[in-house]
Amino acid sequence: MSLRDALKIPSSQITDEAVYRERRQFLAAFAAVPALALPGCSEAEPPPPPKTAITPAQARSGFRTDEPLTRFEDITTYNNFYEFGTGKADPSKAARTLRTRPWSVAVGGHCAKPGTVSLDDLIKGLTPEERVYRLRCVEGWSMVIPWLGVPLAAVLKRFEPTSQAKFVAFTTLADPKQMPGVAYRSIDWPYREGLRIDEAMNPLSLLATGIYGKPLLQQNGAPLRLVTPWKYGFKSIKSIVAIDFVEKMPETAWHELQPSEYGFFSNVNPNVDHPRWSQKTERRIAGTTSKLFAERIPTRLFNGYADQVAGMYTGLDLKKWF
Ligand SMILES: Nc1nc2c(c(=O)[nH]1)N[C@H]1C(S)=C(S)[C@@H](COP(=O)(O)O)O[C@H]1N2
Ligand SMILES: [Mo]
């Protein structure tokens, strides 16, 4: 059974138990170890997910962690997607109206081959990879998410960026007909984000198309969203319609709204507090219906991805360039 097939569980079956089994299958398939026999367990208290060892290569790459996965139900109902409202439960309710097909992305700026391409053409020939990443929101909560996606670098290279392409700017759809939150100027729409070109080309940067082996749901940024796991979650821009290669550091939606609180880099950093709260700890979304949040755990520099990304910031004052 392929990994993809192992993960095909109809959403109608997504109960806590199904998610748990899915998690087991996922971890087992990923570790390429023989599936373990299900131990007898009471329904009230399922045993913890099996600890599957990750290979040294996987550990080095940062592409996978063996931390327990956040439940599909939590990943898809506890969201930030202000285009559909500012409440955590708003996107899962309001985003169903977002039409994600057909979808195209306009790629332009400093590149040899600009153009507007369909989503299918954008990722043609690239097989979505499974990546299990931590996601740390600037608000102080976090999740562990099994994404499906393609390396951002592989997509960007198709457009042949020139030497003037120092940064990459991303834009989300802003259609008030499909996105009720756009009627309110919580931020100055469209939502915009950006990366320095080396950050965009870093192997960790992913263009996600799925979660738990299934296509992305609208609330998670379908059909295409950025994932940069060493940065605060707001850098992971959703429902992307434009990608531009630019020479100057692009203005971004959160920085524009409150430059003293949200920097361009926004690398996860426990030593640089948000002006209004500490960033030293975080609460991992726990995955029990009775208690949404677990106890606080320490936040790690670059969200635990220092081995993969710290080299890009040598000599950069991370307090100044927060
Ligand atoms: N277009 C857009 N992208 C966005 C946001 C948003 O409001 N609009 N919120 C960001 C924030 S603050 C976070 S923490 C993540 C949340 O992603 P998730 O809901 O899939 O967990 O999406 C980011 N991407
Ligand atoms: Mo966030």
Side-chain angles (χ1 to χ4, degrees):
M1 198 198 278
S2 75
L3 173 57
R4 275 251 187 98
D5 290 336
L7 293 167
K8 263 178 206 144
I9 291 177
S11 53
S12 59
Q13 280 181 23
I14 295 169
T15 60
D16 290 1
E17 201 205 334
V19 170
Y20 171 69
R21 273 190 276 108
E22 178 179 53
R23 192 178 293 180
R24 288 186 66 100
Q25 283 181 324
F26 172 78
L27 289 170
F30 217 119
V33 296
L36 304 160
L38 278 168
C41 55
S42 82
E43 275 190 38
E45 206 183 321
K51 288 266 181 231
T52 53
I54 58 173
T55 66
Q58 287 171 325
R60 267 196 308 278
S61 68
F63 289 177
R64 195 182 148 222
T65 169
D66 55 7
E67 291 161 277
L69 304 180
T70 304
R71 294 188 316 172
F72 182 81
E73 185 189 321
D74 292 329
I75 296 170
T76 55
T77 58
Y78 188 87
N79 300 103
N80 275 334
F81 200 168
Y82 278 22
E83 287 87 336
F84 296 99
T86 53
K88 294 287 183 281
D90 292 342
S92 58
K93 293 181 192 141
R96 288 181 196 143
T97 51
L98 176 66
R99 287 187 309 274
T100 58
R101 295 254 161 201
W103 192 270
S104 57
V105 181
V107 185
H110 296 294
C111 60
K113 296 189 167 159
T116 298
V117 294
S118 70
L119 177 61
D120 293 335
D121 284 342
L122 190 77
I123 62 172
K124 200 189 221 132
L126 299 169
T127 309
E129 300 170 23
E130 205 86 33
R131 300 273 183 96
V132 181
Y133 284 161
R134 293 174 289 274
L135 175 93
R136 170 56 158 88
C137 174
V138 73
E139 296 163 344
W141 53 266
S142 61
M143 298 189 184
V144 178
I145 303 180
W147 301 101
L148 269 186
V150 296
L152 175 61
V155 170
L156 296 183
K157 281 174 187 160
R158 301 185 155 180
F159 299 90
E160 299 180 13
T162 68
S163 60
Q164 280 168 287
K166 304 276 197 268
F167 294 88
V168 187
F170 302 86
T171 309
T172 295
L173 179 73
D175 179 1
K177 288 201 223 71
Q178 299 183 69
M179 301 169 135
V182 169
Y184 306 93
R185 284 176 83 79
S186 50
I187 61 173
D188 191 6
W189 312 109
Y191 195 100
R192 285 146 292 134
E193 259 309 332
L195 296 171
R196 213 171 55 188
I197 191 80
D198 58 327
E199 299 179 315
M201 296 297 182
N202 186 284
L204 283 182
S205 293
L206 192 73
L207 277 177
T209 56
I211 286 175
Y212 269 110
K214 293 183 266 280
L216 278 181
L217 296 180
Q218 289 99 324
Q219 57 265 41
N220 293 112
L224 188 74
R225 64 90 61 84
L226 178 66
V227 185
T228 47
W230 72 99
K231 293 177 176 286
Y232 289 118
F234 67 86
K235 299 296 286 184
S236 296
I237 182 171
K238 295 177 169 181
S239 305
I240 296 166
V241 291
I243 300 176
D244 284 282
F245 296 100
V246 296
E247 195 163 10
K248 299 251 152 56
M249 186 182 281
E251 184 56 289
T252 60
W254 280 104
H255 177 265
E256 184 177 60
L257 186 73
Q258 199 49 267
S260 64
E261 299 191 353
Y262 307 102
F264 175 81
F265 286 96
S266 290
N267 292 315
V268 174
N269 191 338
N271 308 315
V272 179
D273 286 337
H274 186 281
R276 289 183 281 131
W277 59 84
S278 165
Q279 293 292 26
K280 286 194 167 38
T281 63
E282 65 201 60
R283 295 195 295 180
R284 187 65 54 83
I285 300 289
T288 65
T289 38
S290 54
K291 191 160 150 270
L292 184 60
F293 291 108
E295 72 241 70
R296 293 198 159 268
I297 56 172
T299 287
R300 297 158 72 189
L301 182 62
F302 299 116
N303 202 22
Y305 296 99
D307 286 350
Q308 291 78 30
V309 303
M312 296 191 291
Y313 308 107
T314 313
L316 191 77
D317 181 344
L318 297 175
K319 286 204 159 71
K320 184 176 175 215
W321 296 100
F322 59 95

